[in-house]
Amino acid sequence: MKKLTLSVSPGVRFDLWLKKKHSQDTPLLTISSSEHVYYNIKQAAEYYQYFTYTHYSTAELTIEWDDAAADISLFYYWQPNTLAQEGVTFLVGAPHALLPVGRGEMGDWYAQESLRPALHFSPFCSWMNDPNGLCKIGETYHLFYQYHPHSTEWGPMHWGHAVSEDLYHWRHYPIFLQPEQNLEALGATGGAFSGTAFQDGDGSVRFYFTERLPAYDLYTGYREVQKCARPGRWLDKIESVKPVLSDLPEGVSCDFRDPKVWFDDETKSYFMLLGASVEADPAVLLFTSINGDDWVFDHVLYRADKHFRQHGGRCVECPDFFLIDGVWVLIMGIVGYTEPETGRHNLLYARTGEFRNGRFVPDDTKLQTLDFGTDFYALQTFRDGQKTLGFAWLYNWASKKTAASVYNGEMSLPRQFTLNSDRQLCMQPVPPPASCVIQQTHHQDACRQGTLQLPCDALKTFSVRLQGSALTHLELILQGSHDGQIALQYNEGTITLQAIGMDDERYSAYVGELSEFELFFDAGIIEVFANRGSQCGTRRYFHISDCSQISLEYNLSATVTEVALSQYRTTWGNE
């Protein structure tokens, strides 16, 4: 039996997901005071069920959970009127007790695992994938994400939720969306798939998302419909959900998901992009509406070349479409595609052009591969004033986490998007706030002979920034404390990211002349931004969690004007 006594104020809310291990006469979970039983779970199914309780008195509460008779996958509580400041408090099992983990304890919780990143967002526990519903409401950023609360593996999809004022220090919120049916009970997959936020002129927000109905095959035969959700006052719960689009256009089969919605002032109409396939070609579809509720298919906005279908590309996922400096940018992931030359999988692409009269007209630039490292998928952007910002899921379906952990999945660093003079989409990290910086040191004077050795004491989270000219070759090696090496190499105009002895040189891109780069290392996560973010590479390594030495070597004829090492502390428990 696990037990916890809490002093709470009226209105506190509890959410939990529980399943029984075996039948018995005593309650599985009880919430009571010394004089009264307020909430009893006497019976439950053999699959996880959602339970919720709101407490309306000032009595001190005792929570008792019979862990021998029931499993709980996720359990937390919150006070709605302090949620924005405090977030939720999780309740986790400890020997003979329930342990509360709230805002004050979050740093210790995250520090328990050596591979937990300090700067990159990761869920409290369980599985996470695509970022969803990114938006800024007032001064607060909202990050929603695909979430499976019952496992560290992918499963029936929910929406998790976290908030921040600086894109780095996050507070966890309650689960925002759940599948319309209990898919655990049906032995099915599906649920609340990806979607985006739409902000009206009056400041209200609605969320468009895909509901995959109960499915028994991951690749064919399922049905996906589009829905619109409106949040309640505190943005802790959904107030209403309604279907808005279910009819499939001709040539479209089961893949029909991930809406991106915006309003066009000129035509006074709503537009919606959806990822799909048309006659087996990955494609982006455009729909229109006069009210945001009733949608009509307009046309196929973009259809990928047959090359993608021929090499495993099943459909477009998570399409994004936005305007920068008068140029429209279309972003799409092509799931299942394997690049024949390199074997890189599930790549993310951008195409620039014009959007006029409801039609996207690509320019003569090439289809741009957004990340040569490939652990950068399901990108979603949003507007913050005049800036376009975004996150991607820092993972790839082609890889698998190798370390035992209470969670699975991370987000990329927040990135800002710009276009260079060649109409190439550039991505650069939003700088971590000053409160995260432990120290910054400069070393260009120490590497005048083309080499630099920086011994470290198990350095877990840092960035290396280099600027220079006349570079013809360069190698930056990160040595793990327990063996393992990661190398960033530049030679003959090509930049390569490689785990030495573990992968080949497939994670590379041609950059031409290299003038500057910044590399972030965060508990095995690598993000590289070269030439002001015109080439980026992202990889997630599980064999190295910190560095004992940083080594740099480059051609003596080069002029290096900056070599800066910045060290960072965790954002959890650090305000």
Side-chain angles (χ1 to χ4, degrees), residues 57-71:
S57 80
T58 58
E60 187 176 67
L61 295 182
T62 296
I63 303 171
E64 295 178 283
W65 161 36
D66 188 347
D67 58 315
D71 279 329

Side-chain angles (χ1 to χ4, degrees), residues 469-488:
S469 60
L471 287 162
T472 59
H473 68 266
L474 175 147
E475 185 172 55
L476 178 70
I477 294 181
L478 310 180
Q479 173 67 54
S481 295
H482 304 286
D483 295 325
Q485 291 182 326
I486 298 170
L488 178 69

Side-chain angles (χ1 to χ4, degrees), residues 151-205:
S151 172
T152 56
E153 299 293 332
W154 185 88
M157 284 289 95
H158 301 57
W159 274 30
H161 185 190
V163 302
S164 173
E165 280 69 52
D166 62 10
L167 297 171
Y168 280 91
H169 294 91
W170 295 95
R171 298 180 297 284
H172 293 292
Y173 263 39
I175 297 295
F176 192 65
L177 279 172
Q178 298 190 51
E180 69 171 16
Q181 299 184 56
N182 191 318
L183 299 174
E184 299 272 335
L186 302 176
T189 62
F193 274 37
S194 292
T196 51
F198 175 82
Q199 294 180 274
D200 285 304
D202 62 3
S204 62
V205 183

